[in-house]
Amino acid sequence: MVFWPELLFSQDALQGAMSDAPKKEAPPQYSEYGSDLCLQCHGEGSAFPVLSIFKTRHAETSDARTPFAGLECESCHGPGALHPEAVMTGEKNIGIRSFGLGARTSIREQNQVCETCHKSKLGMAWHGSTHEREDVSCASCHRIHAERDPVFSIKDQPKVCFTCHQQKRADSFKASSHPIRYGKMACTACHQAHGSNTEFQLIRQTLNETCYSCHTEKRGPFLWEHAPASEDCTLCHQVHGSNHPSLLSKRPPFLCQQCHSRAGHPSVSGLPSGLPPSGGSALLLARGCMNCHTQVHGSNHPSGARLTR
Ligand code: HEC
Ligand code: HEC
Ligand code: HEC
Ligand code: HEC
Ligand code: HEC
Ligand code: HEC
Ligand code: HEC
Ligand code: HEC
Ligand code: HEC
Ligand code: HEC
């Protein structure tokens, strides 16, 4: 198994860095002093809070795979021996790798650094995923220097995603929505962060399977299925938020009339006047078609073929 960015430094350098031997065995472009050098300038009181990284998994020196068991800061930021001098002489290229949105380092190079250690955790799906293809960096979702990376918190994760997916933020505040705004659900309730082989990188094989993982009662099997419900929940629902009740994409009866013609509604004996098919006004009242067709997701009643019970 390869834990170390082989591209970046030799096996000798690795051994040098991991043993108790003096770090001067490392190639000259790496600092002899490890993080001690960096912390001279990036310690307490510097603009960017560097020190909190020592409270994270990456700083667990007892785990030989972590950066801090090896070349410390430089396992991510790259060889930095010449960086202090470059900074002092006011050079533009300040001789160090930087991360995240707006960083000098290319996103491809940034991600390679992380991937050399995280290939197995990322799984196969990352490569070719929409985020990878759109040049989204690991560091635009992960806060490496924060004691707690916000993407692991149900409450804070959506804010990370909203930095790019602003429409989803607006959706989450609509009258009907999944309880994201209350910090009770994160985007990863339905989405696989690093990609999946499903459309829209969903957590299950199909869209409906994703919904059934919580809404089990909608799975059926039903004696009388309603074809669109077993086919695709988003034929009627807007999952991220809607201003219609129950996350509906349209208000009934218009919702239903996208597929069912009103003209075709059969005469029903015993219906009060004004109800279908003679007039349309009752359809616009209250629950519209669902006044009678209550079982829109499917019915298990022996005489529920018309989804009325
Ligand atoms: C002599 C002081 C000094 C030392 C030692 C030092 N740095 Fe810096 N570093 C700076 C200054 C000054 C900047 C520029 C800050 C700015 O322009 O905002 C900087 C910038 C950076 C940046 C941002 C780079 C960018 O492109 O924006 C990183 C990352 C960084 N240093 C990491 C390190 C690491 C890792 C080490 C140890 C190998 C280190 N520094 C050692 C002074 C130092
Ligand atoms: C596991 C990889 C990793 C290690 C180890 C690491 N950093 Fe970072 N560093 C990052 C990433 C990613 C960012 C972007 C901001 C973030 O994710 O929090 C960053 C941001 C920075 C910045 C701010 C750069 C800017 O653009 O202003 C400085 C300075 C810095 N690191 C210095 C250090 C120092 C000093 C150490 C060692 C004590 C260190 N880093 C260890 C990955 C790492
Ligand atoms: C030198 C190897 C190495 C490098 C480089 C590295 N990591 Fe890690 N990382 C680890 C190890 C080891 C762990 C802890 C064990 C694990 O979770 O696999 C870890 C843990 C993590 C975790 C989980 C943290 C937690 O609290 O559970 C995240 C997220 C992560 N790394 C992201 C990154 C990102 C993003 C980068 C690039 C900026 C990066 N890593 C670079 C080795 C590395
Ligand atoms: C679109 C945002 C996003 C991007 C881009 C991203 N991650 Fe993650 N990552 C997450 C989220 C969210 C989680 C938590 C997954 C969960 O809770 O299901 C996570 C989890 C992790 C973990 C911990 C996994 C575990 O099983 O413990 C590691 C390690 C990690 N990411 C590394 C990376 C690396 C390396 C990259 C870049 C190649 C990357 N991530 C890119 C959002 C992202
Ligand atoms: C740095 C910007 C950025 C961040 C942060 C980000 N994304 Fe994305 N995401 C994109 C881009 C760009 C696309 C492709 C265009 C689009 O669909 O909007 C995308 C697409 C997606 C897609 C559609 C995938 C597909 O295959 O159709 C999903 C789902 C997604 N992101 C979820 C998330 C989640 C969940 C998070 C937070 C954990 C997140 N994104 C964070 C930029 C980002
Ligand atoms: C209840 C499940 C669920 C949750 C929670 C969820 N999504 Fe989705 N998302 C879906 C489904 C299903 C699709 C595909 C069909 C669609 O767009 O209606 C999708 C599609 C997407 C897409 C790509 C298509 C588009 O509409 O742009 C993006 C981007 C996206 N989601 C981002 C997010 C973000 C960001 C969050 C967290 C704020 C989030 N999603 C939360 C289920 C969910
Ligand atoms: C992680 C669990 C989970 C997943 C997955 C999930 N939901 Fe939900 N859903 C919920 C919760 C929790 C509520 C809120 C229930 C409440 O407020 O009483 C909800 C509410 C709803 C509502 C009613 C909203 C309202 O305003 O009354 C609809 C419709 C809905 N979900 C459809 C879907 C669809 C479609 C999918 C698949 C794309 C899906 N859900 C996936 C947990 C989930
Ligand atoms: C043919 C349109 C349609 C389809 C397709 C559909 N729904 Fe619904 N759904 C509705 C309507 C209409 C309501 C409001 C029902 C009411 O007010 O009585 C609703 C309400 C809901 C609710 C909240 C009330 C309740 O019954 O729990 C959930 C949750 C829900 N749907 C989940 C789903 C899931 C999951 C799927 C996919 C398996 C799905 N829906 C497919 C029309 C549909
Ligand atoms: C995306 C298209 C679509 C939407 C939207 C839709 N339906 Fe359907 N509906 C169908 C299909 C397809 C069938 C099956 C027709 C068949 O088997 O001949 C069906 C069957 C029915 C049946 C049983 C009819 C029969 O002949 O057995 C009723 C009742 C019904 N739908 C009511 C509704 C109501 C009420 C709504 C709105 C909440 C609605 N539908 C929305 C496509 C849709
Ligand atoms: C007042 C009650 C009521 C309302 C409101 C109502 N329906 Fe019906 N609908 C029925 C009854 C009862 C039947 C069964 C008739 C039969 O078996 O001959 C039926 C049958 C149907 C059928 C099956 C038609 C067929 O060819 O067998 C569909 C589709 C349908 N309704 C759709 C709708 C839609 C769409 C709406 C809203 C625009 C709606 N209904 C409003 C009572 C109602």
Side-chain angles (χ1 to χ4, degrees):
M1 227 199 289
V2 179
F3 297 121
W4 292 92
E6 282 190 326
L7 299 167
L8 306 178
F9 44 83
S10 71
Q11 205 57 33
D12 289 347
L14 169 61
Q15 251 121 44
M18 286 175 68
S19 72
D20 290 329
K23 285 177 180 159
K24 66 174 182 286
E25 280 174 46
Q29 70 269 34
Y30 284 94
S31 152
E32 290 179 49
Y33 309 101
S35 61
D36 290 346
L37 170 70
C38 316
L39 297 177
Q40 300 266 318
C41 300
H42 295 289
E44 209 84 63
S46 69
F48 183 82
V50 156
L51 292 174
S52 38
I53 199 170
F54 289 104
K55 296 175 182 156
T56 69
R57 294 291 307 273
H58 282 137
E60 267 175 31
T61 48
S62 59
D63 182 345
R65 305 168 304 159
T66 62
F68 280 89
L71 286 166
E72 308 189 322
C73 318
E74 291 166 286
S75 15
C76 291
H77 288 289
L82 303 178
H83 159 67
E85 203 187 313
V87 164
M88 309 253 250
T89 56
E91 253 186 65
K92 264 221 161 115
N93 178 359
I94 52 180
I96 202 98
R97 195 182 280 134
S98 57
F99 292 89
L101 296 167
R104 261 175 265 255
T105 309
S106 78
I107 285 169
R108 171 183 277 262
E109 183 182 337
Q110 287 180 48
N111 286 2
Q112 258 169 9
V113 173
C114 315
E115 282 177 48
T116 34
C117 291
H118 289 295
K119 246 196 189 86
S120 58
K121 275 268 165 75
L122 282 166
M124 304 291 285
W126 168 254
H127 283 279
S129 72
T130 305
H131 284 134
E132 197 241 13
R133 280 187 281 112
E134 294 279 337
D135 259 355
V136 175
S137 68
C138 315
S140 61
C141 284
H142 290 289
R143 289 276 77 84
I144 290 306
H145 279 273
E147 187 178 348
R148 286 192 217 306
D149 184 344
V151 290
F152 294 115
S153 146
I154 290 180
K155 194 164 126 284
D156 298 329
Q157 181 200 92
K159 292 176 201 143
V160 176
C161 312
F162 292 155
T163 57
C164 299
H165 296 290
Q166 295 192 9
Q167 181 56 45
K168 299 290 176 276
R169 181 175 182 278
D171 289 344
S172 76
F173 283 99
K174 288 182 176 168
S176 171
S177 67
H178 275 99
I180 287 174
R181 81 181 93 156
Y182 306 114
K184 292 195 175 141
M185 198 190 272
C187 312
T188 48
C190 296
H191 294 291
Q192 203 99 59
H194 299 138
S196 68
N197 44 23
T198 316
E199 213 186 358
F200 307 114
Q201 54 190 70
L202 297 171
I203 55 164
R204 294 283 191 279
Q205 284 304 312
T206 64
L207 192 151
N208 275 27
E209 282 300 330
T210 301
C211 312
Y212 298 150
S213 68
C214 295
H215 300 288
T216 44
E217 77 288 354
K218 301 285 185 287
R219 180 199 292 274
F222 295 107
L223 195 52
W224 307 104
E225 281 190 350
H226 190 199
S230 27
E231 194 184 307
D232 180 351
C233 309
T234 59
L235 286 169
C236 295
H237 292 292
Q238 211 119 46
V239 285
H240 301 102
S242 164
N243 284 326
H244 303 302
S246 296
L247 284 168
L248 292 174
S249 49
K250 284 195 165 57
R251 188 178 281 281
F254 309 111
L255 176 74
C256 316
Q257 288 169 343
Q258 294 174 104
C259 301
H260 297 287
S261 106
R262 205 166 79 191
H265 205 272
S267 324
V268 184
S269 60
L271 288 182
S273 64
L275 285 178
S278 52
S281 60
L283 299 180
L284 299 167
L285 292 175
R287 293 158 45 79
C289 316
M290 283 99 70
N291 280 322
C292 304
H293 300 288
T294 52
Q295 306 306 109
V296 282
H297 301 103
S299 167
N300 274 325
H301 194 282
S303 44
R306 302 297 184 235
L307 310 176
T308 49
R309 62 192 87 194

